[in-house]
C-alpha cells in the first residue's frame, strides 16, 4: 500500500504520523529546492510547528527537475524520514509539504501570494553562482517580488539555508544585482519590505538508495517512492532579522540569534571542511563512505589534528566548547548505520573548497601560523581532479569543463591557474608559500600515494 492521506486514516503501524489535521493547514512558507536535505531538515521542523500553528504550511518548488514532485504527488506530498543510528531505524511521516511544484513560474506565483510570508532556500552552493550571465534563482526571486510589490502584499523574509558564509547577505546581493538590471522599480520595495536573514543548518542526509526504500517498507508496512534517510542530530540556527511575521522557530527546537557568524564558521569549517577533506582523500585510501574514512586511522588523525591545531584557533568559541563539538562530529561521522557516500560530498567541490578550507588557511597565514593539514586537504582536491581526468572518470562540478582542461597541465601550472584572479582559489593568489606547499603535496600524492603523504604531514602537525 502506498503512503497517502487516505492510507494514513487506517494506518496502525510503527511509524509516527503527523500530529495535526492536514486539511486545516494553510500555506505560509515557500521553499525552493525540495531535495533530500530540505525534507530531512526544515520540513521536519515545520511539521512539528503545524500542530500549534497551521498557518505555516509549506509550498515546495523544485527548480531542477520534476522527480520529487512526481514521486510525492501520488502520496499527497507525504513522505517518511528514516532516522538511522546504531543499526536501528525509527520512521516519522512528514505532512508539512502541502504541494510540490516544478519550475520558476510556480515559485513566482507563490511569492506573489500574500499568505506566503517566508521563503526558505536550499539550492546548494552553485545555485548562487551565475551560469553564463544568468542566475535562475535571482531571476525567479526578482520576478516574484516584482509581482508581490505590485499586489501590495505584506513584507516577506528570504531565509537561505545553504552552506555558504553569510548566506543571507549573499542572497540579498544576488537579488539586488538582478533587480538593478531587470526591475529597478522594486529596489525601494526590497529595502523596505524584504529581509534576508542568514541561517546555519545541519543534518547529515545521504542520498536515498533502494535498500533504504525496502527497509522503510519492511519496517512501516507502506510503500514510499522517495523517503529520506538521516541521522538523529539536527540543528538550525537562524539570524533574528525578519521583515515579516515569522514562525515560532524556538518552540520546535531551532535557535534564533542576533549574531550567526560564529555558528556558521564553526559548522562550515569543522563539519563541512572535514567532509570535503575525507571526500577527496578518502577514495585514494579505498574508502567509499564517510564512516569508513572517519574510521581510517590516518585520515581520522588528519581531520582531527587539522581541526584542533588549524581550525580551532580561527573560531571564537572557547576550546572546551569546540572540543565537545568535535567529539560529537566524530561520532556522527562514524555512524556506520548510514551509508553517506564520499562521492556525494565530492560533487561541486570547486564551490565548497573555497568556503570550507581556504578561509582558515588565510587566517592562519596572516597570523604567522602554518596550515599544512588544510593545505593537504586542498591538495587532495587538486590531485583527485587530476586522477579523475587520467582515469577518464566524470567530474560532477559546475566547473567540470575548466577543471578537465587544466588537469593535464603540470602541477605548478595547474595551481597557478586555480589561483589566478577570478579563478576558484583566487584568494590564495598572493600566498606563494601556500601555493608552493600545495604543489609539494600534490606531487607527493602522485608519486608516493595519499597514505604516505598524509602520514608525512601528520609528522609535521
Ligand atoms: C556535505 C553536507 O555534501 C556535502 O557537501 O558536507 O551536505 C553536509 O552533510 C551537511 O552540511 C550536514 O549538515
Amino acid at each position: 500500500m502506498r503512503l497517502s492521506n487516505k492510507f494514513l486514516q487506517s494506518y496502525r503501524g510503527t511509524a509516527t504520523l503527523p500530529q495535526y489535521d492536514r486539511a486545516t493547514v494553510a500555506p505560509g512558507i515557500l521553499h525552493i529546492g525540495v531535495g533530500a536535505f530540505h525534507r530531512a531538515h526544515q520540513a521536519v521542523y515545520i511539521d512539528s510547528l503545524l500542530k500549534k500553528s497551521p498557518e505555516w504550511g509549506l509550498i515546495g518548488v523544485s527548480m531542477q527537475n520534476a522527480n520529487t514532485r512526481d514521486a510525492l504527488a501520488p502520496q499527497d506530498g507525504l513522505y517518511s524520514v528514516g532516522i538511522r543510528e546504531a543499526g536501528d531505524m525509527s520512521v516519522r511521516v512528514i505532512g508539512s509539504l502541502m504541494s510540490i511544484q516544478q519550475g520558476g513560474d510556480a515559485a513566482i506565483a507563490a511569492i506573489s501570494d500574500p499568505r506566503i510570508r517566508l521563503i526558505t532556500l536550499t539550492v546548494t552552493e552553485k545555485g548562487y553562482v551565475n551560469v553564463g550571465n544568468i542566475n535562475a534563482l535571482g531571476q525567479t526571486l526578482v520576478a516574484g517580488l516584482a509581482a508581490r510589490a505590485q499586489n501590495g502584499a505584506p513584507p516577506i523574509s528570504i531565509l537561505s539555508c545553504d552552506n555558504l558564509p553569510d548566506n543571507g547577505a549573499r542572497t540579498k546581493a544576488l537579488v539586488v544585482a538582478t533587480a538593478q538590471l531587470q526591475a529597478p522599480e522594486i529596489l525601494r520595495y526590497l529595502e523596505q519590505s524584504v529581509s534576508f536573514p542568514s541561517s546555519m543548518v545541519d543534518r547529515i542526509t545521504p542520498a536515498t538508495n533502494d535498500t533504504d526504500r525496502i527497509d522503510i517498507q519492511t519496517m512501516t508496512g507502506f510503500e514510499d517512492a522517495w523517503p529520506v534517510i538521516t541521522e538523529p542530530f539536527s540543528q538550525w540556527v537562524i539570524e533574528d532579522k525578519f521583515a515579516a511575521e515569522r514562525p515560532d522557530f524556538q518552540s520546535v527546537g531551532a535557535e534564533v540569534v542576533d549574531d550567526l557568524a560564529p555558528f556558521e564558521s564553526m559548522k562550515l569549517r569543522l563539519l563541512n571542511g572535514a567532509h570535503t577533506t575525507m571526500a577527496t582523500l578518502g577514495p585514494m585510501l579505498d574508502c567509499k563512505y564517510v564512516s569508513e574514512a572517519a574510521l581510517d586511522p590516518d585520515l581520522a588523525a588528519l581531520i582531527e589534528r587539522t581541526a584542533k591545531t588549524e581550525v580551532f584557533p580561527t573560531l571564537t568559541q572557547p576550546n572546551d566548547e569546540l572540543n565537545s563539538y568535535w567529539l560529537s562530529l566524530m561520532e556522527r561521522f562514524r555512524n556506520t548505520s548510514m551509508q553517506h557516500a564520499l562521492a556525494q560530498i565530492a560533487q561541486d567541490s570547486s564551490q565548497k573548497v573555497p568556503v570550507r578550507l581556504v578561509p582558515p588557511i588565510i587566517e592562519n597565514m596572516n597570523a604567522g601560523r602554518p596550515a599544512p593539514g588544510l593545505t593537504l586537504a586542498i591538495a587532495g582536491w587538486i590531485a583527485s581532479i587530476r586522477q579523475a581526468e587520467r582515469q577518464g572518470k566524470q567530474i560532477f562540478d559546475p566547473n567540470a569543463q575548466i577543471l578537465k582542461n587544466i588537469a593535464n597541465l603540470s602541477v605548478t601550472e595547474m595551481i597557478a591557474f586555480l589561483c589566478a584572479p577570478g579563478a576558484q582559489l583566487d584568494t590564495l593568489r598572493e600566498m606563494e608559500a601556500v601555493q608552493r606547499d600545495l604543489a609539494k603535496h600534490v606531487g607527493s600524492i602522485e608519486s608516493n600515494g595519499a597514505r604516505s603523504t598524509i602520514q608525512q604531514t601528520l609528522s609535521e602537525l
Side-chain angles (χ1 to χ4, degrees):
M1 284 294 279
R2 181 99 176 250
L3 187 58
S4 70
N5 282 337
K6 185 143 181 287
F7 173 75
L8 286 191
Q9 283 167 12
S10 54
Y11 179 67
R12 296 283 174 273
T14 54
T16 310
L17 306 187
Q19 303 292 304
Y20 50 91
D21 177 2
R22 292 188 85 208
T24 64
V25 174
I29 306 173
L30 162 67
H31 182 81
I32 302 182
V34 199
F37 181 77
H38 166 68
R39 295 197 288 127
H41 191 272
Q42 298 92 26
V44 175
Y45 286 87
I46 300 304
D47 187 72
S48 305
L49 184 82
L50 290 177
K51 197 172 155 188
K52 268 199 329 215
S53 314
E55 71 280 17
W56 289 109
L58 276 162
I59 304 285
V61 173
S62 303
M63 298 290 273
Q64 298 294 333
N65 60 54
N67 297 349
T68 311
R69 180 197 69 190
D70 293 348
L72 300 196
Q75 302 179 181
D76 302 315
L78 292 165
Y79 64 94
S80 28
V81 173
I83 299 168
R84 285 199 194 269
E85 192 188 26
D88 267 352
M89 179 165 72
S90 61
V91 181
R92 169 169 169 187
V93 175
I94 301 299
S96 53
L97 276 165
M98 302 174 62
S99 76
I100 299 161
Q101 299 164 46
Q102 201 267 321
D105 287 348
I108 293 168
I111 299 171
S112 65
D113 181 339
R115 294 172 302 172
I116 300 290
R117 284 144 295 152
L118 174 63
I119 303 171
T120 51
L121 307 172
T122 50
V123 294
T124 79
E125 296 86 347
K126 63 177 178 286
Y128 297 78
V129 180
N130 286 2
V131 179
N133 277 330
I134 296 177
N135 178 284
L137 175 68
Q139 298 214 321
T140 302
L141 290 174
V142 166
L145 292 167
R148 188 175 180 94
Q150 218 167 30
N151 286 351
I156 191 162
S157 314
I158 305 184
L159 180 63
S160 169
C161 303
D162 282 297
N163 289 323
L164 285 167
D166 233 348
N167 53 16
R170 185 87 184 246
T171 312
K172 180 173 184 181
L174 174 65
V175 169
V176 170
T178 313
Q180 272 160 350
L181 290 173
Q182 288 177 8
E185 70 282 4
I186 69 161
L187 287 169
R188 253 190 69 186
Y189 170 78
L190 287 181
E191 221 24 77
Q192 289 170 351
S193 303
V194 188
S195 76
F196 298 85
S198 288
S199 79
M200 180 271 251
V201 293
D202 190 5
R203 193 167 209 188
I204 293 174
T205 309
T208 309
N209 60 35
D210 285 338
T211 315
D212 299 325
R213 287 189 177 83
I214 295 167
D215 287 356
I216 293 272
Q217 178 155 9
T218 313
M219 191 157 167
T220 62
F222 55 71
E223 185 194 330
D224 181 345
W226 209 338
V228 291
I229 301 299
T230 190
E231 58 172 345
F233 183 93
S234 183
Q235 191 177 18
W236 195 5
V237 190
I238 302 168
E239 184 188 13
D240 193 3
K241 193 175 168 189
F242 286 80
E245 187 200 345
R246 67 163 171 83
D248 182 3
F249 289 116
Q250 294 101 319
S251 69
V252 289
E255 296 158 76
V256 179
V257 301
D258 289 330
D259 183 9
L260 189 79
F263 294 91
E264 187 187 76
S265 308
M266 179 174 76
K267 191 255 171 172
L268 208 53
R269 294 179 184 194
L270 289 176
L271 188 159
N272 298 110
H275 256 177
T276 292
T277 308
M278 291 188 279
T280 55
L281 290 167
M284 298 180 198
L285 307 177
D286 292 324
C287 301
K288 191 169 171 210
Y289 298 112
V290 172
S291 56
E292 291 168 358
L295 286 162
D296 179 280
D298 292 322
L299 201 43
L302 177 70
I303 58 171
E304 175 148 318
R305 286 203 228 157
T306 303
K308 294 191 173 171
T309 57
E310 299 176 19
V311 183
F312 282 15
T314 71
L315 300 172
T316 53
Q317 289 84 349
N319 254 25
D320 53 350
E321 199 179 308
L322 293 172
N323 274 316
S324 64
Y325 183 76
W326 181 259
L327 209 64
S328 85
L329 277 186
M330 282 307 262
E331 264 176 41
R332 294 169 64 198
F333 292 155
R334 289 174 170 166
N335 180 348
T336 46
S337 44
M338 284 214 304
Q339 297 196 320
H340 193 193
L342 294 170
Q344 181 186 341
I345 301 170
Q347 289 190 8
D348 301 346
S349 281
S350 75
Q351 308 299 302
K352 296 176 178 175
V353 168
V355 294
R356 301 176 176 193
L357 299 170
V358 174
I361 291 200
I362 295 177
E363 288 167 34
N364 276 298
M365 296 307 283
N366 289 342
R369 291 184 300 255
L374 290 162
T375 313
L376 173 58
I378 300 183
W381 171 55
I382 298 171
S384 71
I385 298 163
R386 297 171 67 81
Q387 194 186 63
E389 181 60 6
R390 273 200 308 275
Q391 299 175 347
K393 291 203 184 123
Q394 196 176 347
I395 298 169
F396 294 93
D397 195 288
N399 289 309
Q401 196 51 52
I402 303 173
L403 297 174
K404 280 169 73 67
N405 290 346
I406 60 174
N408 291 315
L409 299 174
S410 74
V411 173
T412 330
E413 282 168 336
M414 179 171 173
I415 289 167
F417 195 99
L418 287 169
C419 297
Q424 285 68 37
L425 303 180
D426 76 340
T427 47
L428 293 175
R429 64 184 174 272
E430 272 155 24
M431 308 234 149
E432 276 155 28
V434 177
Q435 295 184 28
R436 271 199 307 277
D437 283 348
L438 280 174
K440 186 186 86 187
H441 285 313
V442 177
S444 166
I445 293 173
E446 292 188 343
S447 29
N448 312 322
R451 188 167 302 281
S452 106
T453 308
I454 294 173
Q455 286 169 347
Q456 174 61 37
T457 306
L458 283 172
S459 69
E460 294 161 26
L461 266 168

